[in-house]
Amino acid sequence: MFALVSPEKIQLPAGSVVRLPATWQDYQSLYDRRGDGSIPRLKYRNGEVLLMSPLPVHGKDANLIADIVKAILDSDEREYDAFTPITMTVPEESGIEPDYCFYINNWQAVCGKKRIDWQNDPPPDLVIEIDVTSYSDVQDYLPYRVPEIWLYKKQQLLIYRLQGANYQVQTQSIYFPDFDLQSAIARCVEIAYQRNTSAAIRDLKKQLAEIEEKNR
């Protein structure tokens, strides 16, 4: 299958990325043409549009890591909200679609909202990006000032924190400072690909329960 982007049709082979010079209006036109679907993924930045058709591994990893975050938050009885798919936009400047985003500290700010104003409402506390095709760039989130971004690439979790005008790699998450995320994710990924995602999350929940019992 060849990539095709025309006024009538958008068709991309799985795993492909297409980069086109474009205006904000071009991006909006492509977004409208895609309709209610979430494929291809669309991104606008610096006078160009990027289109990406994800592979199945992309979706599996995104859901697995999001389920890991939910399991840890639930274990700590912390409240949160999570969104996917979602489109974040700053008119004329940026359009981006994170794989998953979480409101943890600021969940009350979006409680009950069906639309989020990205220029006035607080950004997600945590964004998860899966990079299989070199489509993801954490610096694309600078217009939104997202505090923390997790980039999962080549079976490695990279944690980026907003520091001043850029994102910098960190060793720990500000939301889970005392939890060994790297080991937990590595174990979950191994189980998920040996068996399935549900087995991985059940194993994680068992570990979390054991940790809670030891801390009592």
Side-chain angles (χ1 to χ4, degrees):
M1 181 191 296
F2 295 98
L4 173 63
V5 181
S6 72
E8 294 78 29
K9 190 175 185 180
I10 302 175
Q11 178 177 294
L12 298 182
S16 63
V17 176
V18 173
R19 187 187 305 258
L20 301 170
T23 64
W24 177 253
Q25 288 70 31
D26 294 330
Y27 163 75
Q28 290 182 305
S29 177
L30 286 168
Y31 184 88
D32 292 340
R33 199 180 315 162
R34 187 182 64 182
D36 294 332
S38 59
I39 298 176
R41 300 275 298 282
L42 297 173
K43 180 193 296 186
Y44 177 80
R45 65 181 188 190
N46 301 325
E48 67 176 8
V49 164
L50 285 82
L51 302 92
M52 185 269 287
S53 181
L55 292 163
V57 65
H58 189 128
K60 178 169 182 171
D61 288 351
N63 281 291
L64 175 61
I65 294 177
D67 285 348
I68 291 169
V69 173
K70 293 173 186 177
I72 301 170
L73 290 169
D74 287 339
S75 176
D76 291 338
E77 297 184 350
R78 295 163 68 184
E79 296 192 62
Y80 63 91
D81 239 324
F83 297 88
T84 189
I86 192 167
T87 301
M88 301 168 63
T89 59
V90 176
E92 305 291 339
E93 182 179 357
S94 171
I96 197 165
E97 299 170 356
D99 289 311
Y100 236 101
C101 65
F102 285 84
Y103 280 86
I104 301 171
N105 292 346
N106 287 315
W107 69 267
Q108 289 176 307
V110 296
C111 180
K113 289 191 174 184
K114 295 183 178 180
R115 289 183 178 273
I116 299 174
D117 182 344
W118 300 110
Q119 294 176 283
N120 295 297
D121 290 324
D125 295 295
L126 172 65
V127 157
I128 295 172
E129 280 280 353
I130 309 300
D131 192 3
V132 178
T133 57
S134 298
Y135 173 81
S136 300
D137 184 343
V138 296
Q139 306 302 336
D140 290 336
Y141 286 94
L142 285 173
Y144 308 94
R145 310 293 293 175
V146 174
E148 185 168 294
I149 298 168
W150 292 5
L151 179 65
Y152 188 69
K153 184 175 184 178
K154 296 180 180 178
Q155 295 189 316
Q156 180 181 7
L157 177 69
L158 299 172
I159 299 171
Y160 289 87
R161 192 177 305 159
L162 182 62
Q163 295 188 327
N166 289 287
Y167 285 99
Q168 303 292 335
V169 176
Q170 307 293 316
T171 56
Q172 286 293 110
S173 168
I174 55 176
Y175 303 109
F176 312 103
D178 302 318
F179 187 76
D180 189 350
L181 280 169
Q182 301 289 356
S183 296
I185 288 176
R187 178 165 172 160
C188 283
V189 169
E190 182 179 5
I191 295 172
Y193 280 90
Q194 286 180 348
R195 190 170 180 184
N196 57 48
T197 298
S198 61
I201 298 302
R202 282 197 301 271
D203 180 79
L204 174 62
K205 288 180 177 179
K206 181 180 178 182
Q207 289 184 66
L208 291 167
E210 290 173 354
I211 293 171
E212 183 179 354
E213 184 66 28
K214 286 180 182 178
N215 291 334
R216 285 180 179 175

